[in-house]
Amino acid sequence: MTAPDLDLEAVRERALASLTTARDRTALLTGCVDEPDLTTQHSPLMSPLVWDLAHIGNQEELWLLRTVGGREPMRPEIDGLYDAFEHPRAERPSLPLLPPTEARSYVAEVRGRALDLLESTALHGTRLTEAGFAFGMIAQHEQQHDETMLITHQLRKGPQALTAPDPDPAPLFTGPAEVLVPGGPFTMGTSTEPWALDNERPAHQAEVAPFRIDTTPVTNAAYQAFIEDGGYETERWWTPEGWAHIQANRIGAPQFWRRDGGQWLRRRFGVTEVVPPDEPVLHVCWYEADAYARWAGRRLPTEAEWEKAARYDPATGRSRRYPWGDADPGPEHANLGQRHLRPAPAGSYPAGESPLGVRQLIGDVWEWTASDFLPYPGFTAFPYKEYSQVFFGPEYKVLRGGSFAVDPVACRGTFRNWDYPIRRQIFSGFRTARSEDV
């Protein structure tokens, strides 16, 4: 887009709303627990909450105040403390981090100056400022750390600190178990979404053979059938690496599950409850998802297959922004934004289904795909290689679709997430696919 094509006031309003929504959520996640919970490392996989808080402010200062605004550093001495690449998570509790009161003061001062900058910045003319990209990038960054902090809340021991209403009850889904996705080319990725991140770009032609994909994510009940059939004790369902991993770590169920007599219980944000059979399964790693798919006589979809199922409209041949169309997500479309603290029952949100009839492709659970995290043809790192480029390769598997913990600003039909195949603390589930006999 060029400046004459932009409604700059609307861009400014969107940026302000996105930054404000993110900060309100950050305040909730850091304000619902006492200071010891903010400074404690609840898992070696995660940072102390107070590190995430100050890191959010430091990145905002770096990219908005210093890079866009040309301002002098406010606290240059803390830059190294909050550089995610300089200090791995396991080391961060030992750093001289800002205490909670000082961290809150710092991020508030940064935000005040950033909002002043938003009012005065021409939102065009450079790649970083075009259509408010830098402000959108920072809103997305904060929301991504809010999701990380929500994961920390799930890992922390102790009583419930967060509450939210449950999703609306949904009738038991009785539609088709799978949907046929036609083969052929489609447009994957984007070159037009103004706040899309570098790994989503550029738009390019991808081609898939015809395949069938689950209409909904795999449910807890379906996954329990895999467990009861000895799925975790049967080596042939697992890759060699996956089998070695579950054996070494004595894994026999999704994370946070435990058997109590004849039923499965789970811990969810400090509450122990019976595992609900009709919800999408949550907290499984890629190896578990892959093993289930093999057991079911199916496979995980590739990333390209997932995106075609989510975006391709056979009536027009074009790729939509979202499964339901080009409109931004609403509460009728998907379970996003920490509005609920759990997935909705499988088959929910009929208004959010794709043109082919696939449901819950956005929200509820991140969905593992079969694909490694790799660049698209013509990829260019922007605005820094550490966001995506340093992670490309076979070590990481791609997840798509977003979870209930993802805000709409950081979730699109093109949005790509990635993680190690052993990760389970993330809000991850999956759906399966199979090749169509032709």
Side-chain angles (χ1 to χ4, degrees):
M1 283 186 183
T2 58
D5 300 320
L6 290 173
D7 180 344
L8 296 180
E9 190 56 36
V11 170
R12 229 176 288 277
E13 289 175 1
R14 183 191 180 204
L16 175 60
S18 298
L19 290 167
T20 301
T21 298
R23 186 51 47 87
D24 288 347
R25 188 177 175 200
T26 300
L28 172 65
L29 289 162
T30 57
C32 65
V33 290
D34 294 332
E35 183 167 322
D37 270 329
L38 292 175
T39 56
T40 295
Q41 185 175 44
H42 298 281
S43 164
L45 296 174
M46 312 304 292
S47 307
L49 292 169
V50 74
W51 185 93
D52 286 289
L53 174 62
H55 170 77
I56 285 167
N58 187 247
Q59 288 294 292
E60 186 168 333
E61 184 198 346
L62 173 64
W63 287 104
L64 296 186
L65 301 186
R66 300 187 203 175
T67 306
V68 173
R71 311 285 173 81
E72 291 296 316
M74 292 170 55
R75 300 283 300 268
E77 74 280 4
I78 69 171
D79 287 354
L81 298 177
Y82 299 103
D83 184 333
F85 286 88
E86 190 168 327
H87 300 286
R89 288 174 174 175
E91 294 180 3
R92 291 170 190 171
S94 63
L95 300 174
L97 303 177
L98 299 181
T101 299
E102 194 172 348
R104 288 191 177 104
S105 176
Y106 169 63
V107 299
E109 185 174 357
V110 171
R111 175 53 55 89
R113 297 184 186 189
L115 295 184
D116 289 342
L117 183 68
L118 176 60
E119 285 296 313
S120 61
T121 298
L123 301 179
H124 61 86
T126 71
R127 189 175 175 188
L128 198 57
T129 59
E130 190 71 31
F133 175 82
F135 295 92
M137 178 183 74
I138 288 301
Q140 292 178 81
H141 175 264
E142 182 163 354
Q143 287 285 7
Q144 288 170 323
H145 275 272
D146 287 341
E147 182 177 9
T148 298
M149 289 194 285
L150 190 63
I151 293 169
T152 301
H153 273 276
Q154 170 63 12
L155 288 163
R156 67 178 279 275
K157 301 297 190 290
Q160 181 180 24
L162 293 166
T163 59
D166 287 342
D168 291 335
L172 184 67
F173 180 69
T174 57
E178 61 181 5
V179 168
L180 174 64
V181 180
F186 76 104
T187 300
M188 187 172 182
T190 180
S191 296
T192 58
E193 188 72 32
W195 290 359
L197 304 173
D198 61 1
N199 64 60
E200 301 171 66
R201 301 172 181 270
H204 59 284
Q205 287 291 106
E207 185 155 353
V208 299
F211 68 99
R212 293 184 181 269
I213 192 167
D214 290 339
T215 308
T216 70
V218 170
T219 64
N220 289 320
Y223 199 84
Q224 283 176 34
F226 167 67
I227 299 173
E228 302 305 331
D229 195 46
Y232 283 91
E233 289 82 45
T234 308
E235 184 175 357
R236 65 191 173 111
W237 304 133
W238 300 81
T239 64
E241 299 83 3
W243 181 249
H245 177 68
I246 66 156
Q247 291 294 300
N249 294 278
R250 299 182 179 180
I251 293 171
Q255 190 170 6
F256 309 113
W257 286 29
R258 65 178 175 86
R259 193 187 288 278
D260 181 34
Q263 64 183 354
W264 285 100
L265 304 179
R266 72 177 180 187
R267 183 168 57 82
R268 182 177 61 86
F269 299 108
V271 175
T272 298
E273 61 191 12
V274 175
V275 172
D278 57 346
E279 278 186 16
V281 68
L282 190 63
H283 298 301
V284 290
C285 70
W286 185 89
Y287 291 130
E288 291 168 291
D290 179 68
Y292 172 95
R294 293 168 189 260
W295 170 81
R298 298 169 69 83
R299 58 179 174 79
L300 296 179
T302 67
E303 183 180 14
E305 287 174 334
W306 188 98
E307 188 165 327
K308 186 166 190 180
R311 300 183 63 210
Y312 179 70
D313 184 350
T316 63
R318 64 179 289 267
S319 291
R320 300 172 165 195
R321 293 179 69 212
Y322 297 97
W324 55 84
D326 294 336
D328 289 338
E332 73 278 15
H333 294 130
N335 180 7
L336 293 167
Q338 201 181 307
R339 197 168 68 245
H340 312 295
L341 288 171
R342 64 196 306 158
S348 297
Y349 305 106
E353 73 178 21
S354 75
L356 296 167
V358 189
R359 295 197 180 183
Q360 290 169 286
L361 286 155
I362 300 292
D364 287 306
V365 295
W366 284 107
E367 298 185 14
W368 289 109
T369 73
S371 299
D372 298 335
F373 184 49
L374 300 172
Y376 288 159
F379 167 84
T380 302
F382 177 79
Y384 57 105
K385 67 181 181 179
E386 289 82 7
Y387 180 71
S388 300
Q389 185 173 321
V390 298
F391 298 103
F392 289 145
E395 291 184 18
Y396 296 92
K397 294 294 185 181
V398 173
L399 303 102
R400 298 297 297 264
S403 71
F404 66 86
V406 176
D407 187 81
V409 76
C411 185
R412 292 171 286 277
T414 57
F415 194 93
R416 308 173 74 196
N417 191 8
W418 65 94
D419 215 327
Y420 291 113
I422 64 172
R423 290 291 183 248
R424 307 202 309 158
Q425 82 277 11
I426 59 178
F427 301 112
S428 52
F430 63 100
R431 71 181 74 217
T432 67
R434 67 181 175 94
S435 299
E436 173 71 354
D437 296 329
V438 291

Short mmCIF file of all heavy atoms in Angstrom, two decimals, residues 23 50-62 65-66 73-79 82 98-113:
data_model
loop_
_atom_site.label_atom_id
_atom_site.label_comp_id
_atom_site.label_asym_id
_atom_site.label_seq_id
_atom_site.Cartn_x
_atom_site.Cartn_y
_atom_site.Cartn_z
N ARG A 23 -1.61 -4.38 26.35
CA ARG A 23 -1.17 -3.93 27.67
C ARG A 23 -2.18 -4.29 28.76
O ARG A 23 -1.80 -4.64 29.89
CB ARG A 23 -0.90 -2.43 27.65
CG ARG A 23 -0.30 -1.86 28.94
CD ARG A 23 0.94 -2.64 29.42
NE ARG A 23 1.91 -2.91 28.39
CZ ARG A 23 2.89 -2.06 28.04
NH1 ARG A 23 3.01 -0.90 28.68
NH2 ARG A 23 3.74 -2.37 27.08
N VAL A 50 8.37 -11.59 35.65
CA VAL A 50 8.88 -10.23 35.68
C VAL A 50 9.89 -9.99 34.55
O VAL A 50 10.06 -8.85 34.09
CB VAL A 50 9.49 -9.90 37.07
CG1 VAL A 50 10.83 -10.59 37.26
CG2 VAL A 50 9.59 -8.41 37.29
N TRP A 51 10.57 -11.06 34.08
CA TRP A 51 11.45 -10.90 32.93
C TRP A 51 10.63 -10.59 31.68
O TRP A 51 10.96 -9.67 30.93
CB TRP A 51 12.29 -12.16 32.70
CG TRP A 51 13.30 -11.99 31.59
CD1 TRP A 51 14.61 -11.59 31.72
CD2 TRP A 51 13.09 -12.17 30.17
NE1 TRP A 51 15.22 -11.51 30.49
CE2 TRP A 51 14.30 -11.86 29.52
CE3 TRP A 51 12.00 -12.55 29.41
CZ2 TRP A 51 14.45 -11.93 28.12
CZ3 TRP A 51 12.14 -12.62 28.02
CH2 TRP A 51 13.36 -12.32 27.40
N ASP A 52 9.56 -11.36 31.46
CA ASP A 52 8.72 -11.09 30.30
C ASP A 52 8.18 -9.66 30.33
O ASP A 52 8.12 -8.99 29.30
CB ASP A 52 7.54 -12.07 30.26
CG ASP A 52 7.96 -13.47 29.82
OD1 ASP A 52 8.28 -13.64 28.63
OD2 ASP A 52 7.98 -14.38 30.66
N LEU A 53 7.78 -9.21 31.50
CA LEU A 53 7.21 -7.87 31.62
C LEU A 53 8.20 -6.81 31.16
O LEU A 53 7.89 -5.96 30.31
CB LEU A 53 6.79 -7.63 33.08
CG LEU A 53 6.30 -6.22 33.41
CD1 LEU A 53 5.04 -5.88 32.62
CD2 LEU A 53 6.04 -6.09 34.92
N ALA A 54 9.41 -6.82 31.70
CA ALA A 54 10.39 -5.81 31.33
C ALA A 54 10.89 -6.00 29.90
O ALA A 54 11.20 -5.01 29.21
CB ALA A 54 11.56 -5.82 32.31
N HIS A 55 10.97 -7.24 29.44
CA HIS A 55 11.36 -7.50 28.05
C HIS A 55 10.38 -6.86 27.09
O HIS A 55 10.78 -6.29 26.06
CB HIS A 55 11.44 -9.01 27.83
CG HIS A 55 11.61 -9.41 26.40
ND1 HIS A 55 12.82 -9.31 25.72
CD2 HIS A 55 10.72 -9.90 25.48
CE1 HIS A 55 12.66 -9.74 24.48
NE2 HIS A 55 11.40 -10.09 24.31
N ILE A 56 9.10 -6.95 27.38
CA ILE A 56 8.07 -6.30 26.55
C ILE A 56 8.37 -4.81 26.42
O ILE A 56 8.35 -4.25 25.32
CB ILE A 56 6.68 -6.54 27.17
CG1 ILE A 56 6.23 -7.99 26.92
CG2 ILE A 56 5.65 -5.55 26.61
CD1 ILE A 56 5.02 -8.40 27.74
N GLY A 57 8.65 -4.16 27.55
CA GLY A 57 8.95 -2.73 27.50
C GLY A 57 10.24 -2.42 26.78
O GLY A 57 10.35 -1.44 26.04
N ASN A 58 11.26 -3.27 26.98
CA ASN A 58 12.56 -3.04 26.35
C ASN A 58 12.46 -3.14 24.83
O ASN A 58 13.06 -2.33 24.10
CB ASN A 58 13.57 -4.04 26.91
CG ASN A 58 14.98 -3.76 26.43
OD1 ASN A 58 15.56 -4.56 25.69
ND2 ASN A 58 15.57 -2.65 26.86
N GLN A 59 11.72 -4.14 24.33
CA GLN A 59 11.55 -4.26 22.88
C GLN A 59 10.74 -3.10 22.32
O GLN A 59 11.02 -2.61 21.21
CB GLN A 59 10.85 -5.59 22.55
CG GLN A 59 11.72 -6.81 22.75
CD GLN A 59 12.88 -6.85 21.77
OE1 GLN A 59 12.69 -7.02 20.58
NE2 GLN A 59 14.10 -6.68 22.28
N GLU A 60 9.78 -2.63 23.06
CA GLU A 60 9.00 -1.47 22.62
C GLU A 60 9.88 -0.23 22.55
O GLU A 60 9.79 0.55 21.59
CB GLU A 60 7.83 -1.26 23.58
CG GLU A 60 6.86 -0.18 23.14
CD GLU A 60 5.58 -0.20 23.96
OE1 GLU A 60 5.20 -1.28 24.49
OE2 GLU A 60 4.96 0.86 24.08
N GLU A 61 10.72 -0.07 23.54
CA GLU A 61 11.64 1.07 23.51
C GLU A 61 12.61 0.96 22.35
O GLU A 61 12.85 1.94 21.62
CB GLU A 61 12.43 1.16 24.82
CG GLU A 61 13.32 2.40 24.86
CD GLU A 61 14.43 2.34 25.89
OE1 GLU A 61 14.42 1.47 26.78
OE2 GLU A 61 15.35 3.17 25.78
N LEU A 62 13.16 -0.24 22.14
CA LEU A 62 14.15 -0.43 21.08
C LEU A 62 13.58 -0.11 19.71
O LEU A 62 14.19 0.63 18.92
CB LEU A 62 14.67 -1.87 21.13
CG LEU A 62 15.59 -2.30 19.98
CD1 LEU A 62 16.87 -1.50 20.01
CD2 LEU A 62 15.89 -3.80 20.08
N LEU A 65 10.69 3.69 20.15
CA LEU A 65 11.30 4.95 20.57
C LEU A 65 12.65 5.19 19.90
O LEU A 65 12.91 6.27 19.37
CB LEU A 65 11.44 4.98 22.09
CG LEU A 65 10.14 4.84 22.89
CD1 LEU A 65 10.41 5.04 24.37
CD2 LEU A 65 9.08 5.81 22.39
N ARG A 66 13.51 4.18 19.90
CA ARG A 66 14.85 4.39 19.36
C ARG A 66 14.87 4.29 17.83
O ARG A 66 15.41 5.17 17.16
CB ARG A 66 15.82 3.36 19.94
CG ARG A 66 15.96 3.41 21.44
CD ARG A 66 17.06 2.45 21.88
NE ARG A 66 16.91 2.04 23.28
CZ ARG A 66 17.68 1.15 23.88
NH1 ARG A 66 18.66 0.57 23.21
NH2 ARG A 66 17.48 0.82 25.14
N PRO A 73 18.48 6.12 24.21
CA PRO A 73 18.05 5.02 25.08
C PRO A 73 17.67 5.51 26.47
O PRO A 73 18.33 6.40 27.03
CB PRO A 73 19.26 4.10 25.13
CG PRO A 73 20.04 4.42 23.89
CD PRO A 73 19.82 5.88 23.63
N MET A 74 16.62 4.95 27.02
CA MET A 74 16.19 5.30 28.37
C MET A 74 17.00 4.56 29.42
O MET A 74 17.43 5.15 30.41
CB MET A 74 14.70 4.96 28.55
CG MET A 74 13.76 5.82 27.74
SD MET A 74 12.04 5.17 27.76
CE MET A 74 11.70 5.06 29.51
N ARG A 75 17.18 3.24 29.21
CA ARG A 75 17.91 2.41 30.17
C ARG A 75 18.86 1.50 29.40
O ARG A 75 18.67 0.28 29.37
CB ARG A 75 16.93 1.56 31.00
CG ARG A 75 15.89 2.33 31.84
CD ARG A 75 16.51 2.91 33.08
NE ARG A 75 17.08 1.91 33.96
CZ ARG A 75 16.42 1.33 34.97
NH1 ARG A 75 15.16 1.64 35.22
NH2 ARG A 75 17.02 0.45 35.75
N PRO A 76 19.92 2.03 28.78
CA PRO A 76 20.78 1.18 27.97
C PRO A 76 21.45 0.07 28.76
O PRO A 76 21.81 -0.97 28.20
CB PRO A 76 21.82 2.16 27.40
CG PRO A 76 21.80 3.33 28.33
CD PRO A 76 20.39 3.44 28.81
N GLU A 77 21.59 0.25 30.06
CA GLU A 77 22.29 -0.75 30.86
C GLU A 77 21.48 -2.05 31.01
O GLU A 77 22.04 -3.08 31.41
CB GLU A 77 22.62 -0.18 32.25
CG GLU A 77 21.46 -0.05 33.21
CD GLU A 77 20.58 1.19 32.98
OE1 GLU A 77 20.83 1.91 32.00
OE2 GLU A 77 19.66 1.41 33.78
N ILE A 78 20.20 -2.01 30.71
CA ILE A 78 19.39 -3.23 30.87
C ILE A 78 19.19 -3.97 29.55
O ILE A 78 18.59 -5.06 29.55
CB ILE A 78 18.02 -2.93 31.51
CG1 ILE A 78 17.13 -2.14 30.54
CG2 ILE A 78 18.19 -2.23 32.85
CD1 ILE A 78 15.70 -2.00 31.04
N ASP A 79 19.68 -3.43 28.46
CA ASP A 79 19.44 -4.07 27.16
C ASP A 79 19.89 -5.53 27.14
O ASP A 79 19.18 -6.41 26.66
CB ASP A 79 20.16 -3.32 26.04
CG ASP A 79 19.50 -1.99 25.70
OD1 ASP A 79 18.43 -1.70 26.24
OD2 ASP A 79 20.08 -1.24 24.88
N TYR A 82 17.65 -8.21 28.89
CA TYR A 82 16.38 -8.57 28.26
C TYR A 82 16.54 -8.93 26.80
O TYR A 82 15.57 -8.92 26.04
CB TYR A 82 15.37 -7.42 28.47
CG TYR A 82 15.12 -7.21 29.95
CD1 TYR A 82 15.70 -6.14 30.64
CD2 TYR A 82 14.36 -8.12 30.66
CE1 TYR A 82 15.50 -5.98 31.99
CE2 TYR A 82 14.16 -7.98 32.03
CZ TYR A 82 14.73 -6.91 32.69
OH TYR A 82 14.54 -6.76 34.04
N LEU A 98 15.03 -6.12 36.82
CA LEU A 98 14.26 -5.08 37.48
C LEU A 98 13.21 -5.72 38.37
O LEU A 98 12.50 -6.63 37.95
CB LEU A 98 13.56 -4.19 36.45
CG LEU A 98 14.42 -3.43 35.45
CD1 LEU A 98 13.54 -2.58 34.53
CD2 LEU A 98 15.43 -2.54 36.17
N PRO A 99 13.09 -5.28 39.61
CA PRO A 99 12.02 -5.81 40.47
C PRO A 99 10.65 -5.39 39.93
O PRO A 99 10.56 -4.46 39.11
CB PRO A 99 12.32 -5.20 41.84
CG PRO A 99 13.16 -4.00 41.56
CD PRO A 99 13.93 -4.30 40.31
N PRO A 100 9.58 -6.04 40.34
CA PRO A 100 8.27 -5.78 39.74
C PRO A 100 7.85 -4.32 39.71
O PRO A 100 7.37 -3.83 38.69
CB PRO A 100 7.33 -6.63 40.61
CG PRO A 100 8.16 -7.79 41.03
CD PRO A 100 9.54 -7.20 41.26
N THR A 101 8.01 -3.60 40.81
CA THR A 101 7.58 -2.20 40.83
C THR A 101 8.36 -1.38 39.81
O THR A 101 7.79 -0.54 39.07
CB THR A 101 7.76 -1.60 42.24
OG1 THR A 101 6.95 -2.34 43.16
CG2 THR A 101 7.34 -0.14 42.26
N GLU A 102 9.66 -1.60 39.74
CA GLU A 102 10.49 -0.85 38.79
C GLU A 102 10.19 -1.27 37.36
O GLU A 102 10.17 -0.42 36.45
CB GLU A 102 11.97 -1.08 39.12
CG GLU A 102 12.90 -0.10 38.43
CD GLU A 102 14.33 -0.22 38.92
OE1 GLU A 102 14.57 -0.90 39.95
OE2 GLU A 102 15.22 0.36 38.25
N ALA A 103 9.94 -2.55 37.13
CA ALA A 103 9.59 -3.02 35.78
C ALA A 103 8.29 -2.39 35.32
O ALA A 103 8.17 -1.95 34.17
CB ALA A 103 9.49 -4.55 35.78
N ARG A 104 7.30 -2.34 36.19
CA ARG A 104 6.02 -1.73 35.82
C ARG A 104 6.19 -0.25 35.49
O ARG A 104 5.59 0.26 34.54
CB ARG A 104 5.00 -1.91 36.95
CG ARG A 104 4.50 -3.34 37.12
CD ARG A 104 3.31 -3.37 38.07
NE ARG A 104 2.78 -4.72 38.19
CZ ARG A 104 2.97 -5.53 39.23
NH1 ARG A 104 3.72 -5.10 40.26
NH2 ARG A 104 2.45 -6.73 39.26
N SER A 105 6.99 0.43 36.28
CA SER A 105 7.23 1.86 36.03
C SER A 105 7.92 2.07 34.68
O SER A 105 7.55 2.97 33.91
CB SER A 105 8.07 2.44 37.17
OG SER A 105 8.39 3.80 36.92
N TYR A 106 8.89 1.22 34.39
CA TYR A 106 9.62 1.32 33.12
C TYR A 106 8.71 1.09 31.93
O TYR A 106 8.68 1.90 30.98
CB TYR A 106 10.77 0.32 33.13
CG TYR A 106 11.46 0.14 31.80
CD1 TYR A 106 12.15 1.18 31.19
CD2 TYR A 106 11.44 -1.10 31.16
CE1 TYR A 106 12.78 1.01 29.96
CE2 TYR A 106 12.08 -1.29 29.94
CZ TYR A 106 12.74 -0.23 29.35
OH TYR A 106 13.37 -0.42 28.14
N VAL A 107 7.93 0.01 31.95
CA VAL A 107 7.09 -0.27 30.79
C VAL A 107 6.01 0.78 30.63
O VAL A 107 5.60 1.11 29.50
CB VAL A 107 6.48 -1.70 30.86
CG1 VAL A 107 7.57 -2.75 30.88
CG2 VAL A 107 5.54 -1.86 32.02
N ALA A 108 5.53 1.36 31.74
CA ALA A 108 4.52 2.41 31.64
C ALA A 108 5.11 3.68 31.02
O ALA A 108 4.45 4.34 30.20
CB ALA A 108 3.96 2.71 33.03
N GLU A 109 6.33 4.02 31.41
CA GLU A 109 6.95 5.21 30.83
C GLU A 109 7.22 5.01 29.34
O GLU A 109 7.00 5.91 28.53
CB GLU A 109 8.25 5.54 31.56
CG GLU A 109 8.88 6.85 31.09
CD GLU A 109 10.09 7.26 31.91
OE1 GLU A 109 10.43 6.57 32.89
OE2 GLU A 109 10.70 8.29 31.54
N VAL A 110 7.71 3.82 28.98
CA VAL A 110 7.92 3.53 27.56
C VAL A 110 6.62 3.66 26.79
O VAL A 110 6.56 4.27 25.72
CB VAL A 110 8.52 2.12 27.38
CG1 VAL A 110 8.53 1.73 25.90
CG2 VAL A 110 9.93 2.06 27.94
N ARG A 111 5.54 3.09 27.33
CA ARG A 111 4.27 3.14 26.63
C ARG A 111 3.75 4.57 26.46
O ARG A 111 3.24 4.92 25.38
CB ARG A 111 3.24 2.27 27.37
CG ARG A 111 1.82 2.32 26.80
CD ARG A 111 1.73 2.02 25.30
NE ARG A 111 2.31 0.78 24.92
CZ ARG A 111 1.67 -0.39 24.90
NH1 ARG A 111 0.39 -0.44 25.27
NH2 ARG A 111 2.29 -1.48 24.49
N GLY A 112 3.88 5.38 27.47
CA GLY A 112 3.44 6.77 27.33
C GLY A 112 4.16 7.47 26.20
O GLY A 112 3.55 8.18 25.39
N ARG A 113 5.48 7.29 26.12
CA ARG A 113 6.25 7.92 25.05
C ARG A 113 5.90 7.30 23.69
O ARG A 113 5.88 8.01 22.67
CB ARG A 113 7.75 7.76 25.33
CG ARG A 113 8.20 8.46 26.60
CD ARG A 113 9.71 8.36 26.76
NE ARG A 113 10.15 8.90 28.04
CZ ARG A 113 11.42 9.10 28.37
NH1 ARG A 113 12.38 8.78 27.50
NH2 ARG A 113 11.75 9.59 29.55
#
